[in-house]
């Protein structure tokens, strides 16, 4: 149960004065639907009206506040649609205040003739005179508090005015409770940080541009709160999982020995090291959840397969889940020979299995006649019963949301879990996203891979590139040609891919295929399979080919409008070639002129193939918020912290969280109780639920 003290800020924003359902809907878009969301949404800018020039000295167009005498009202003649004017002056000159659609009675009250007033706004030149159209504020000089000299500016959306958002947030702030301190007293003092309430108010009341920095003491304090909540929650989830006993899986190695003997290559040092970590986890009685991070082509599949064999040696079953049908089929194919060599039974189950065939497979699975079930999420659907499932591999984890990961592991017995991702994530980010898992990294690639020759070429020279494609195809090579598809519904981009398809088909005939996101799964698969079989030489695609697929004979990757892709995405695409001993190349076609960031991105790709390095650079160029954006599901979004800036705070938060869990695992000390409030404040109810009452 959420602590009562937080209830006022967990109310709906409609509880705030002046916020009805319509405004609430707009606020929900920029901040969230509860009052706390406003508290946790810091200003992105500020308005400074503290400049106090005289009328004659005021620069045009700049925001300033003036002390003036109201000389004379000049209302428009009755029936004429002219503006209402009020003439004011100070000792240096005159200015005209201009009001359209004005209400005379209001203006006479606000600007009484002969009195002094503060007016704030921008002065403009109007045929030689000075005028101010619709001052932002008019105030009595005896009540200067009616005119805020500094105002925060919040993220906005169409229809939501700055004033409304500001008022809502100010009202939200007035409801922010004083909370018991959850930070360690010594640490707080060493950092020179204020209490939460003070820091919160201060972040929302910037009076200089510097106050908007992510590095103010107040902002750092709030960022640290958020990071600590994140790290604490992850460690609690992890601890709760470890406590749920898994089973000790310890095979005798006889299947693994057969498989390794049948491998046409030696495992790399990285692969061996990762396998040792996995086998140790499996052998321990605790439940295993381990992430294997390895760049495209680093050889994760064989690692997964050998781990599954260990489970089978121990008399259990294993499941291997891939994000797409095509990838599942590829795993099935590429592992087929090894399965035969080790004498185990591997079967595939996808959404396409129907009727009697599916029923038979399910029966064999339930009877334990299938050792490894490969497939899409279909392998965990209702009605799929395993006889003795002890080990689950999830390939290309970033394609599945975190929620899917959780629902899957709650099913039935608690199998050990191995998740694999080729998305290289900077260490810092891995900590926030995968802090609840153990992580292994495959850092080296199999020997003998030739570097991919990467070039950037302006689109104006596309004819030369097409000519190169023609020659390569004549030599029997295969080519990927990727066109951007920003959104699935983006008709324009689809047209681009179709146009490219038509123009290449005119040149190369029916050895050219097209796949795009609007095709059905089986349509896509049919075309891709023809490419893998070699029936097609050129595959035009929107980014649907990004993940996991393996066509070793493909040697050329062309990306059209490379400037529109993210770094990580380009790296993934390039990873589709260079998968054999043949020399490969990657052509990044860009539309000139390139912006600075796009230029920097393409340069990094030319210079390195190291996915981790690329990820670090990507983070640096984009900032954390963007890096973790919509493209990658399952990552936490921070509102106050920015991991590319608050990196050191994150590491400290990690250590802090570890210490807390060691000393006060149930969060029952004074600080522990305050930390529970912190977790609720950042909506980590999931973690608090794991605690026993107290
Ligand atoms: P990814 O990590 O991207 O999933 P894969 O597991 O698909 O990579 O492996 C890519 C290719 O490398 C496959 O053809 C695989 O057989 C091969 N491979 C894996 N490990 C080695 C190794 N140690 N030596 C040589 N080739 C390897
Ligand atoms: Mg793979």
């Amino acid at each position: 149960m959420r602590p009562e003290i937080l209830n006022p800020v967990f109310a709906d924003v409609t509880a705030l004065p002046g916020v009805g359902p319509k405004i609430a809907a707009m606020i929900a878009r920029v901040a969230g639907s509860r009052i706390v969301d406003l508290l946790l949404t810091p200003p992105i800018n500020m308005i400074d009206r503290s400049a106090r020039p005289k009328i004659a000295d005021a620069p045009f167009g700049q925001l300033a506040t003036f002390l003036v005498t109201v000389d004379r009202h000049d209302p428009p003649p009755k029936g004429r649609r002219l503006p209402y004017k009020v003439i004011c002056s100070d000792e240096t000159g005159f200015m005209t205040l201009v009001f359209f659609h004005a209400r005379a009675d209001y203006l006479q009250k606000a600007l009484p003739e002969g009195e002094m007033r503060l007016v704030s706004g921008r002065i403009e030149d109007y045929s030689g005179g000075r005028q101010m159209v619709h001052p932002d504020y008019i105030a009595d000089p005896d009540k200067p508090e009616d005119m805020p000299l500094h105002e925060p500016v919040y993220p906005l959306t169409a229809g939501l005015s700055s004033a409304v958002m500001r008022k809502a947030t100010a009202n939200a702030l007035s409801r922010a409770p004083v909370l018991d301190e959850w930070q360690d007293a010594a640490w707080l003092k060493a950092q020179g940080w204020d209490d939460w309430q003070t820091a919160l108010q201060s972040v929302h009341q910037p009076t200089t541009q510097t106050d908007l920095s992510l590095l103010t003491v107040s902002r750092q304090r709030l960022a640290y709160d958020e990071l600590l909540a994140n790290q604490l929650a992850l460690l609690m989830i992890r601890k709760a999982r470890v406590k749920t006993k898994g089973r000790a899986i310890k095979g005798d190695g006889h299947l693994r020995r057969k498989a390794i003997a049948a491998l046409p290559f030696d495992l790399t040092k990285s692969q061996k090291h990762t396998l040792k970590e996995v086998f140790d986890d499996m052998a321990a009685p605790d439940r295993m959840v381990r992430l294997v991070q390895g760049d495209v082509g680093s050889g994760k599949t064989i690692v997964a397969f050998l781990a599954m064999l260990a489970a089978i040696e121990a008399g259990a079953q294993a499941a291997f889940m891939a994000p797409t049908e095509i990838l599942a089929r590829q795993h099935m194919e590429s592992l087929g020979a090894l399965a035969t060599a080790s004498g185990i039974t591997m079967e595939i189950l996808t959404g396409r299995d129907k009727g009697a065939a599916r029923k038979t497979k399910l029966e064999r699975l339930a009877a334990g006649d299938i050792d490894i079930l490969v497939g899409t999420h279909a392998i965990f659907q209702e009605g799929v019963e395993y006889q003795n499932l002890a080990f689950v591999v999830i390939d290309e984890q970033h394609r599945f949301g975190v929620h899917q990961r959780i629902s899957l592991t709650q099913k039935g017995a608690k199998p050990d879990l191995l998740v694999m991702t080729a998305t290289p994530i900077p260490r810092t980010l891995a900590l926030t996203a995968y802090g609840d898992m153990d992580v292994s990294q495959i850092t080296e690639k199999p020997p003998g891979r030739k570097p991919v020759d990467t070039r950037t070429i302006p689109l104006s020279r596309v004819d030369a590139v097409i000519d190169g494609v023609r020659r390569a195809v004549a030599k029997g090579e295969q080519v990927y040609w990727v066109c951007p598809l920003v959104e699935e519904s983006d008709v324009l981009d689809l047209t681009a891919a179709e146009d490219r398809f038509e123009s290449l088909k005119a040149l190369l005939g029916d050895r050219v295929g097209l796949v795009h996101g609007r095709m059905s799964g089986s349509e896509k698969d049919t075309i891709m399979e023809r490419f893998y079989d070699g029936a097609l030489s050129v595959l035009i695609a929107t980014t649907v080919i990004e993940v996991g697929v393996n066509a070793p004979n493909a040697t050329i990757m062309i990306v059209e409008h490379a400037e529109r892709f993210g770094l990580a995405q380009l790296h993934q695409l390039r990873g589709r070639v260079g998968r054999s001993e043949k020399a490969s190349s990657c052509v990044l076609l860009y539309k000139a002129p390139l912006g600075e960031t796009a230029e920097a991105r393409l340069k990094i790709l030319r210079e390195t193939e190291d996915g981790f390095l690329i990820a670090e650079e990507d983070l640096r160029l984009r900032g954390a918020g963007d890096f973790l954006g919509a493209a990658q599901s399952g990552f936490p979004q921070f509102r106050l912290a920015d991991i590319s800036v608050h990196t050191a705070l994150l590491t400290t938060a990690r250590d802090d969280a570890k210490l807390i869990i060691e000393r006060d695992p149930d969060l029952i000390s004074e600080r522990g109780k305050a930390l529970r409030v912190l977790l609720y404040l950042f909506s980590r109810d999931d973690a608090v639920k794991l605690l026993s009452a107290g």
Side-chain angles (χ1 to χ4, degrees):
M1 274 275 283
R2 182 187 306 127
E4 252 169 55
I5 191 162
L6 290 180
N7 285 348
V9 290
F10 272 83
D12 201 89
V13 286
T14 49
L16 296 169
V19 180
K22 251 173 96 182
I23 290 177
M26 293 185 274
I27 291 180
R29 232 171 287 153
V30 292
S33 59
R34 292 154 315 168
I35 291 173
V36 68
D37 296 317
L38 288 169
L39 299 183
L40 302 181
T41 303
I44 49 171
N45 210 336
M46 61 165 279
I47 292 171
D48 184 352
R49 50 182 85 256
S50 62
R52 294 287 295 268
K54 296 291 176 196
I55 292 177
D57 313 329
F60 292 129
Q62 272 177 33
L63 199 57
T65 300
F66 302 85
L67 180 63
V68 297
T69 307
V70 181
D71 296 325
R72 173 167 69 78
H73 280 237
D74 184 5
K78 261 215 153 29
R80 301 286 305 277
R81 316 197 69 175
L82 290 172
Y84 190 113
K85 294 183 179 178
V86 180
I87 320 299
C88 304
S89 63
D90 65 10
E91 64 271 29
T92 66
F94 292 93
M95 80 166 144
T96 308
L97 305 181
V98 179
F99 301 90
F100 295 94
H101 314 290
R103 275 180 37 219
D105 52 341
Y106 160 77
L107 288 178
Q108 266 144 18
K109 231 192 245 157
L111 293 159
E113 280 184 14
E115 291 197 21
M116 308 278 284
R117 280 295 178 266
L118 285 167
V119 297
S120 189
R122 292 170 207 276
I123 284 197
E124 294 162 5
D125 175 36
Y126 185 72
S127 6
R130 288 168 177 258
Q131 72 167 31
M132 182 186 287
V133 178
H134 289 249
D136 300 343
Y137 284 95
I138 299 168
D140 187 333
D142 295 334
K143 295 185 200 152
E145 67 278 5
D146 285 353
M147 180 178 318
L149 292 183
H150 302 100
E151 290 176 317
V153 175
Y154 294 98
L156 298 175
T157 181
L160 182 63
S161 81
S162 206
V164 167
M165 182 68 180
R166 185 153 51 233
K167 194 172 136 227
T169 307
N171 283 322
L173 281 167
S174 70
R175 298 189 175 210
V178 172
L179 300 174
D180 290 336
E181 185 56 69
W182 49 72
Q183 298 295 357
D184 175 67
W187 162 247
L188 207 60
K189 193 153 169 251
Q191 296 297 110
W193 287 348
D194 289 318
D195 60 276
W196 177 73
Q197 166 75 248
T198 310
L200 186 70
Q201 301 290 344
S202 146
V203 160
H204 282 282
Q205 282 156 20
T207 61
T208 63
Q209 284 296 321
T210 328
D211 290 343
L212 294 167
S213 149
L214 300 178
L215 294 172
T216 63
V217 280
S218 298
R219 181 61 182 267
Q220 291 206 48
R221 143 103 219 198
L222 299 185
Y224 189 77
D225 290 338
E226 186 170 40
L227 293 169
L228 183 62
N230 165 270
Q231 290 300 303
L232 192 57
L234 287 174
L235 287 185
M236 285 163 67
I237 290 166
R238 184 195 150 119
K239 186 164 171 277
R241 191 185 53 229
V242 169
K243 264 199 301 197
T244 57
K245 284 266 173 284
R247 56 196 260 198
I249 303 172
K250 224 178 148 130
D252 60 5
H254 76 278
L255 296 175
R256 279 171 283 176
R257 270 192 298 277
K258 282 189 215 164
I260 287 173
L263 277 181
F265 49 71
D266 293 328
L267 295 173
T268 63
K269 246 207 282 179
S270 265
Q271 285 171 321
K272 283 185 191 155
H273 183 75
T274 299
L275 275 170
K276 184 180 172 338
E277 289 177 325
V278 171
F279 293 146
D280 286 351
D281 279 359
M282 292 172 81
D286 292 340
R287 173 114 190 280
M288 153 180 168
V289 176
R290 182 171 284 276
L291 174 76
V292 172
Q293 256 192 307
D295 212 345
V296 286
S298 61
K300 294 182 292 295
T301 318
I302 185 67
V303 168
F305 184 73
L306 291 170
M308 290 191 285
L309 287 187
I312 298 162
E313 285 165 14
Q317 288 172 301
F320 191 4
M321 181 166 85
T324 61
E325 171 110 24
I326 184 113
L327 208 54
R329 293 197 183 284
Q330 276 215 347
H331 284 327
M332 187 67 194
E333 245 170 72
S334 68
L335 295 173
L338 282 179
T340 312
S342 30
I344 61 143
T345 310
M346 193 166 70
E347 203 36 276
I348 185 165
L349 183 74
T350 73
R352 278 203 232 154
D353 288 288
K354 302 246 152 65
R358 175 180 148 92
K359 196 163 161 263
T360 316
K361 274 185 197 174
L362 292 184
E363 280 165 8
R364 287 169 58 212
L365 187 69
D369 294 341
I370 294 173
D371 298 311
I372 296 179
L373 187 65
V374 180
T376 55
H377 57 270
I379 65 176
F380 290 108
Q381 264 163 5
E382 282 305 311
V384 181
E385 304 291 341
Y386 295 78
Q387 188 208 35
N388 186 7
L389 179 67
F391 194 76
V392 173
V393 180
I394 303 179
D395 194 19
E396 304 294 349
Q397 180 274 335
H398 60 284
R399 276 302 179 100
F400 299 100
V402 163
H403 295 293
Q404 234 162 327
R405 188 163 97 207
I406 289 167
S407 77
L408 167 119
T409 56
Q410 277 167 351
K411 203 177 168 83
K414 305 280 185 199
D416 280 3
L417 193 58
L418 181 69
V419 299
M420 309 203 292
T421 179
T423 309
I425 300 157
R427 273 225 151 272
T428 43
L429 291 188
L431 215 51
T432 65
Y434 299 130
D436 58 336
M437 297 190 250
D438 295 300
V439 178
S440 298
Q441 289 189 339
I442 303 185
T443 50
E444 62 189 324
K445 288 212 177 146
R449 295 277 165 82
K450 297 212 174 61
V452 178
D453 178 19
T454 303
R455 292 170 192 218
T456 46
I457 296 179
L459 261 171
S460 55
R461 285 173 49 204
V462 69
D463 287 343
V465 175
I466 290 176
D467 206 43
V469 167
R470 202 177 42 77
R471 270 174 298 162
V473 167
K475 278 195 290 179
E477 293 185 31
Q478 284 185 297
V479 181
Y480 290 104
W481 189 302
V482 175
C483 297
L485 188 68
V486 178
E487 272 174 24
E488 300 272 306
S489 61
D490 206 332
V491 180
L492 257 183
D493 288 316
L494 184 53
T495 314
E498 274 168 346
D499 286 353
R500 186 58 69 206
F501 173 58
E502 292 303 331
S503 71
L504 287 176
K505 209 165 78 171
L507 201 68
L508 300 166
D510 53 8
R511 295 194 61 79
V512 184
L514 169 69
V515 281
H516 58 74
R518 294 242 205 111
M519 291 175 159
S520 74
S522 58
E523 277 176 315
K524 274 190 252 182
D525 290 356
T526 311
I527 306 235
M528 289 211 199
E529 267 154 28
R530 290 187 60 211
F531 186 66
Y532 304 131
D533 295 347
L536 293 176
S537 299
V538 181
L539 184 67
I540 317 254
T542 55
T543 53
V544 287
I545 55 161
E546 201 186 318
V547 152
V549 291
N550 196 17
N553 197 39
T555 52
I556 300 179
M557 166 63 65
I558 293 166
V559 184
E560 195 164 335
H561 281 293
E563 79 281 355
R564 292 208 217 154
F565 290 82
L567 248 186
Q569 219 178 0
L570 289 172
H571 175 67
Q572 286 283 319
L573 287 171
R574 177 170 60 181
R576 301 295 116 226
V577 296
R579 300 187 145 240
S580 67
E581 269 74 64
K582 285 191 224 156
S584 301
S585 57
C586 173
V587 177
L588 303 172
L589 281 170
Y590 64 90
K591 188 161 171 25
L594 277 179
E596 213 173 292
T597 312
E599 169 120 45
R601 270 202 231 134
L602 298 187
K603 180 163 175 278
I604 293 161
L605 281 169
R606 278 201 309 268
E607 287 171 355
T608 181
E609 277 187 69
D610 180 333
F612 285 96
L613 199 69
I614 289 172
E616 297 280 353
E617 285 299 311
D618 203 11
L619 176 63
R620 199 177 55 76
L621 285 173
R622 288 208 265 168
D626 214 11
F627 187 90
L628 297 174
Q632 282 152 325
S633 53
F635 285 93
Q637 296 277 355
F638 294 110
R639 315 201 207 200
L640 295 154
D642 180 332
I643 316 173
S644 58
V645 176
H646 300 126
T647 319
L649 289 181
L650 173 63
T651 335
T652 313
R654 174 65 159 193
D655 295 341
D656 200 355
K658 269 190 195 153
L659 215 62
I660 292 165
I661 297 283
E662 258 166 46
R663 291 189 183 156
D664 183 15
D666 297 316
L667 300 186
I668 43 175
S669 67
E670 277 312 297
R671 187 185 178 202
K673 284 186 197 133
L675 282 162
R676 287 176 180 232
V677 175
L678 171 72
L679 289 168
Y680 277 112
L681 188 64
F682 285 100
S683 299
R684 293 314 302 250
D685 308 33
D686 56 339
V688 190
K689 279 203 200 97
L690 299 169
L691 294 170
S692 43

